[in-house]
Every structure is written in structure tokens, then in C-alpha cells.
């Protein structure tokens, strides 16, 4: 057994604090990618983000927070933008790098704790959150938003695609418009919160969602 394998066997969270989602499921995020596709892995980018990009919504350097197996990141790379995808799930990042090689795309991927984004020591003009915000509970969100603030350049844009509590058959951890507004009440300006659909393997036609456009001030 390699030293890395031993370390993961002893502590599958790699020394970090498990998130509320991990505590509820009893497994680290990485486990979702080890036995087949994760429920949120749809073998392509989220259509909402593809539409966003087609409208010119992405610019400058881009961070994809919680990139998973990389399909959103790679869509950004296909547009010729510099992009970094980060995740705590190393198996997901291995899959993302393999996809990049297969598609001949240049994208950077790195292991990072979304609750400690400041450790990246970098700033980005555009930050994407596709399906990550809604996994954090009320106690974790201020820490996550603080990290987002540290990596989003002033005047930059954050896009949050998350499950909504409005509409039939909501996805897990649905978020209200009020919760989104409250989370980004300081240091940010919410330009729009629009109804969207979030695709998963369990919601092929999409679950009710929000696409929030949030400016760093």
C-alpha cells in the first residue's frame, strides 16, 4: 500500500474538517466518484452555464469551485479562457485531467478545500459555483462566502447555480431566494437571481434551481 493510500485509509478527509454533507452521508466527497458516476455528473456541462457563456457572461481568468470531474471547467477551457478547477475529491480531479487530455484542452486542476479558498493565494475575474453552495449548511456558508470573496477580484463576477426551494420535485438541500440574498449581503452586490434548471442523473429534465449573478464590490 502506498503512503497516500495508507493516509486515506487512516483519514479519508485528508486532515480537513468534514463538511455537513459528508457528515450526513458518512462518506467523503471522493467516494462519490469511486464507484461509477456521481449523481450530479451528467457527462457534460450544465446547460445553464453553457447558455451563460454563450451570452458572454464569462471573462478573464475563471475559477470553477467544486469542479468535480471537470465538465464545466472544460467547457470554459474550450472557449479559450484560462480556468482553474478545484475540488477536494482527488478521484474526480484525476477524471477531469483525463478528459482534458482526451479532448486536447488546456485546463488547470488542483486539490483545494472550498471552505479554505483563500489558501489558493490567487484572484479570478469570474468564479463559478455549480451545485456547491447548496451542499453547505447555515454554519458553513459564511466561511465559504468569505473564501469566495478572497478569490474574486473586486469588480469580478460570481455565478451560483444551486437547487431552488420553488417548484415541484426540488433537489436535495434546496435554497430559498432569501437565503441566497442573506449569504451575499456584505461585500457583494446581487445583480440577479433567476429561475433555472439543474440537471442531475436523477433529474434528467432538471430540478428547480437558481442562477445568481453576484458582483464583488
Amino acid at each position: 500500500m502506498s503512503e497516500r493510500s495508507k493516509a486515506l485509509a487512516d483519514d479519508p478527509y485528508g486532515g480537513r474538517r468534514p463538511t455537513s454533507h459528508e457528515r450526513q452521508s458518512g462518506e467523503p466527497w471522493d467516494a462519490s466518484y469511486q464507484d461509477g458516476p456521481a449523481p450530479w455528473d451528467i457527462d457534460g456541462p450544465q446547460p445553464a452555464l453553457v447558455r451563460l457563456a454563450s451570452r458572454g457572461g464569462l471573462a478573464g481568468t475563471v475559477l470553477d469551485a467544486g469542479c468535480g470531474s471537470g465538465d464545466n471547467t472544460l467547457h470554459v477551457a474550450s472557449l479559450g479562457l484560462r480556468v482553474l478547477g478545484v475540488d477536494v475529491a482527488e478521484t474526480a480531479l484525476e477524471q477531469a485531467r483525463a478528459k482534458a487530455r482526451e479532448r486536447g484542452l488546456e485546463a488547470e486542476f488542483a486539490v483545494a478545500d472550498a471552505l479554505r479558498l483563500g489558501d489558493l493565494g490567487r484572484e479570478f475575474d469570474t468564479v463559478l459555483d455549480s451545485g456547491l453552495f447548496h451542499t453547505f449548511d447555515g454554519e458553513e456558508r459564511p466561511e465559504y462566502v468569505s473564501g469566495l470573496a478572497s478569490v474574486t477580484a473586486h469588480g469580478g463576477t460570481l455565478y451560483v447555480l444551486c437547487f431552488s426551494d420553488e417548484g415541484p420535485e426540488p433537489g436535495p438541500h434546496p435554497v430559498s431566494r432569501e437565503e441566497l440574498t442573506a449569504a451575499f449581503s456584505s461585500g457583494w452586490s446581487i445583480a440577479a437571481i433567476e429561475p433555472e434548471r439543474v440537471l442531475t442523473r436523477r433529474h434528467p429534465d432538471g430540478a428547480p434551481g437558481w442562477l445568481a449573478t453576484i458582483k464583488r464590490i
Side-chain angles (χ1 to χ4, degrees), residues 32-45:
S32 299
Y33 298 91
Q34 293 174 1
D35 300 314
W40 50 85
D41 195 336
I42 59 171
D43 296 325

Side-chain angles (χ1 to χ4, degrees), residues 69-152:
S69 64
D71 286 305
N72 292 325
T73 308
L74 294 174
H75 182 69
V76 175
S78 74
L79 303 176
L81 295 170
R82 286 186 58 197
V83 58
L84 168 66
V86 299
D87 207 289
V88 294
E90 294 194 32
T91 301
L93 295 175
E94 291 168 3
Q95 294 171 0
R97 295 185 183 106
K99 290 178 184 180
R101 289 192 296 271
E102 291 167 1
R103 302 174 193 180
L105 293 171
E106 290 190 14
E108 183 183 359
F109 293 98
V111 176
D113 183 349
L115 294 177
R116 299 185 59 177
L117 289 175
D119 290 351
L120 292 172
R122 296 167 63 176
E123 280 192 342
F124 300 84
D125 302 300
T126 306
V127 178
L128 301 178
D129 172 334
S130 178
L132 181 57
F133 177 84
H134 60 226
T135 70
F136 293 126
D137 66 17
E139 293 183 0
E140 292 165 322
R141 286 177 187 169
E143 191 174 1
Y144 176 52
V145 172
S146 176
L148 287 171
S150 71
V151 295
T152 307

